[in-house]
Amino acid sequence: MPVTLEADLVVALSSRTLFDLEHSHAVFERDGVEAYSLYQIEREAEPLNPGVAFPLVRKLLRLNEGRERPLVEVILLSRNSADTGLRIFNSVEYHGLAITRAAFTNGAPPWRYVEPFGADLFLSADARDVAAALQAGYAAAALVPSAVAESPSDEIRIAFDGDAVLFSDEAERVFRERGLDAFQAAERSAAHEPLSGGPFKNFLDALQRIQAAFPIDDSPIRTGLVTARGAPAHERVIRTLREWGIRIDEALFLGGMDKTPFLRAFGADMFFDDQRGHVERAASAVATGHVPHGVANEAADEGNSERLEGAGQNP
């Protein structure tokens, strides 16, 4: 009988997010695929240094220690060939990561294997792969160069923006098309109408499945909603989560304030946001993924986007 994955959470990620492959990638960009292949083969006994996603992955895999059935499965989806991927697997073994499954696609889009592996989340450094995965309906983020320092705590802390990440971008469209006053009025009148789910709703569901296996006061995972919304736009968010039956451990309604110091105080191991401005600022403090989804990523005028963001409660 074929083996099936029984984990509550399956995370798929590229080798460039798990390990620091920026110098190797620069060789590829400058000298081409043959030079890159030779570079990796010559160094396949040299372990790679950790990348942006490494601390989070190590924490997630620790959840499996001492368990017959794993809570988490981590899969590598890489544009490397099997030949150049040997260095990746050697590095996995060197760092003691319990990762046994991978797809090496030799330059072809690896996100196609998100569905066969049943992944709840796809992390990549390639924005094209991320955009394609999101369009196909999967939770995906492009990890950006970030200030990453592994927390001394084993607790996993993951933070999310709200609109266009956990929720649809329906409210944000009102804000961008009609302004802050119209947005607040619309959210007040729709306070009892749940928002539609965004691309990361199912990933949050998967996290909650793991949380449910532990006492509420002793969970190894802590989630946070960090949104530029403020009152009166908070009520619809709270009621939406209640309708979904999903628990958020901490909810920060910042009313347009910079999210960065709050993410640092929360101690996020990873933060997901759809707006480039928030992502770029947050990356100075925590590992951050851009979710290129929704109206904020359709806008042609980035300068106008930043102007609206500075106006106040940009959701």
Side-chain angles (χ1 to χ4, degrees), residues 116-300:
F117 278 120
D120 300 292
L121 175 67
F122 174 53
L123 302 176
S124 177
D126 192 312
R128 298 166 301 170
D129 286 337
V130 167
L134 283 166
Q135 189 171 8
Y138 306 112
L143 297 195
V144 300
S146 305
V148 181
E150 186 167 1
S151 165
S153 169
D154 283 339
E155 188 176 54
I156 299 159
R157 297 193 168 209
I158 301 179
F160 304 88
D161 179 37
D163 295 276
V165 178
L166 289 183
F167 315 116
S168 72
D169 69 342
E170 61 197 80
E172 189 167 348
R173 286 185 181 275
V174 173
F175 172 82
R176 289 176 177 271
E177 293 169 4
R178 296 163 50 195
L180 180 59
D181 290 343
F183 163 75
Q184 290 181 331
E187 289 303 283
R188 187 185 288 111
S189 66
H192 290 262
E193 300 174 15
L195 288 154
S196 300
F200 275 67
K201 177 180 181 289
N202 290 339
F203 173 53
L204 184 59
D205 276 335
L207 292 177
Q208 185 140 340
R209 287 197 296 270
I210 294 178
Q211 289 178 312
F214 297 86
I216 194 168
D217 59 350
D218 192 32
S219 173
I221 297 177
R222 191 164 186 83
T223 56
L225 170 67
V226 184
T227 174
R229 283 177 179 251
H234 68 297
E235 184 176 355
R236 192 179 186 193
V237 165
I238 293 170
R239 292 186 179 279
T240 296
L241 292 170
R242 186 183 298 170
E243 175 71 19
W244 290 353
I246 288 180
R247 178 182 101 221
I248 283 283
D249 295 302
E250 300 190 28
L252 308 181
F253 297 96
L254 302 183
M257 295 179 69
D258 181 9
K259 299 178 181 183
T260 307
F262 296 92
L263 291 165
R264 187 183 294 113
F266 176 68
D269 292 297
M270 189 71 70
F271 172 57
F272 300 105
D273 200 297
D274 67 307
Q275 296 194 40
R276 292 185 183 277
H278 294 317
V279 167
E280 289 167 3
R281 287 188 290 273
S284 68
V286 299
T288 304
H290 178 227
V291 182
H293 175 75
V295 66
N297 294 282
E298 296 171 2

Side-chain angles (χ1 to χ4, degrees), residues 46-62:
E46 299 176 15
L48 293 157
N49 291 325
V52 174
F54 185 95
L56 174 62
V57 167
R58 182 151 64 182
K59 281 188 174 186
L60 287 171
L61 290 173
R62 283 176 184 158

Side-chain angles (χ1 to χ4, degrees), residues 83 97 137 222 297 309 313:
D83 207 19
L97 301 177
R222 191 164 186 83
N297 294 282
E309 181 182 333
Q313 299 171 43

